[in-house]
Amino acid sequence: MSISDRLHAIGRPLLQAQLDHPTVTGIGRGDLAEPVFRSWLEQDYLFLLDYVRVFARLAWQAPDPHLGDLVDLAHATYHDELDLHRSLSAEFGADLEGAVKGPACAAYTGFLLESAASYGEGLAALYPCMWGYSTLGQILAKNPPTEPRYRAWVDTYADPGFAALAVRIAQMIDEAGPDPVRAEAMFTEGMAHELAFWSVP
């Protein structure tokens, strides 16, 4: 079993806790209270800015064949994903520029930025976000919300292009060959941060 297969086996039951979280179920139904999503949106905007920095730090260490992959991921996050947040911010009245990191955001970004000091472990640490959101998006898209703003969120993460990026990260983890025990520990900690992040300040 490859390292990424082992991470998936660990992650599937942990992902169910996210699917059951009130914030995720509210997005899926399209009836999440606007103040909750507004707060989440502000926190995730701050998270993604540091997520781009994580990709950049890993790109500096990457073998030549994967330098472009990580630059592309940083570009897609900064432009495509953050553009979604910017467009939704106007509709939800979010203050992206004035937002301040809450405890969950600060803990998660600190963990990722520190993990990125090691190429293989850093990939395993960030994988819960890529794989988790892609999987959540695909599941929610089977019965998508009719509310157009939440539908846009689901469509973004259910997009096959986003899934392809997650698959690419899995391949890079396997090629990097980090110590499996360390990779599993980093991935599990990342999944815990993902769950905590849904409980907005």
Side-chain angles (χ1 to χ4, degrees):
M1 182 182 289
S2 68
I3 294 175
S4 62
D5 285 339
R6 292 170 67 167
L7 300 184
H8 295 157
I10 292 169
R12 289 187 190 98
L14 299 176
L15 191 67
Q16 187 60 48
Q18 293 187 53
L19 281 166
D20 294 338
H21 193 284
T23 300
V24 178
T25 58
I27 291 172
R29 292 191 306 266
D31 62 2
L32 181 66
E34 289 197 11
V36 175
F37 190 77
R38 179 165 57 247
S39 182
W40 177 88
L41 195 63
E42 292 170 350
Q43 293 300 299
D44 201 52
Y45 180 82
L46 297 175
F47 169 83
L48 288 173
L49 290 174
D50 276 346
Y51 205 48
V52 172
R53 294 182 174 96
V54 170
F55 284 132
R57 190 175 190 191
L58 292 173
W60 185 81
Q61 305 171 64
D64 291 347
H66 293 310
L67 175 59
D69 291 316
L70 288 160
V71 170
D72 288 347
L73 284 163
H75 184 276
T77 302
Y78 189 80
H79 292 283
D80 300 337
E81 206 168 348
L82 283 174
D83 278 352
L84 171 71
H85 287 57
R86 294 183 186 104
S87 66
L88 288 175
S89 69
E91 299 185 40
F92 283 93
D95 180 11
L96 300 184
E97 301 307 321
V100 177
K101 287 181 183 179
C105 183
Y108 196 3
T109 56
F111 162 69
L112 288 175
L113 288 163
E114 182 177 349
S115 300
S118 167
Y119 178 68
E121 291 183 11
L123 290 172
L126 69 81
Y127 190 52
C129 185
M130 295 291 298
W131 174 76
Y133 271 61
S134 175
T135 307
L136 287 174
Q138 292 173 55
I139 292 171
L140 295 178
K142 293 177 181 177
N143 185 25
T146 57
E147 206 282 341
R149 297 170 300 175
Y150 292 125
R151 176 64 183 262
W153 188 95
V154 171
D155 287 346
T156 294
Y157 294 108
D159 187 273
F162 191 80
L165 294 176
V167 169
R168 193 65 174 143
I169 290 291
Q171 294 170 340
M172 290 163 66
I173 292 170
D174 291 335
E175 290 178 21
D179 175 77
V181 174
R182 286 291 298 158
E184 290 172 18
M186 303 303 275
F187 178 83
T188 301
E189 186 169 349
M191 288 296 289
H193 282 294
E194 282 290 314
L195 179 59
F197 202 92
W198 290 114
S199 298
V200 294

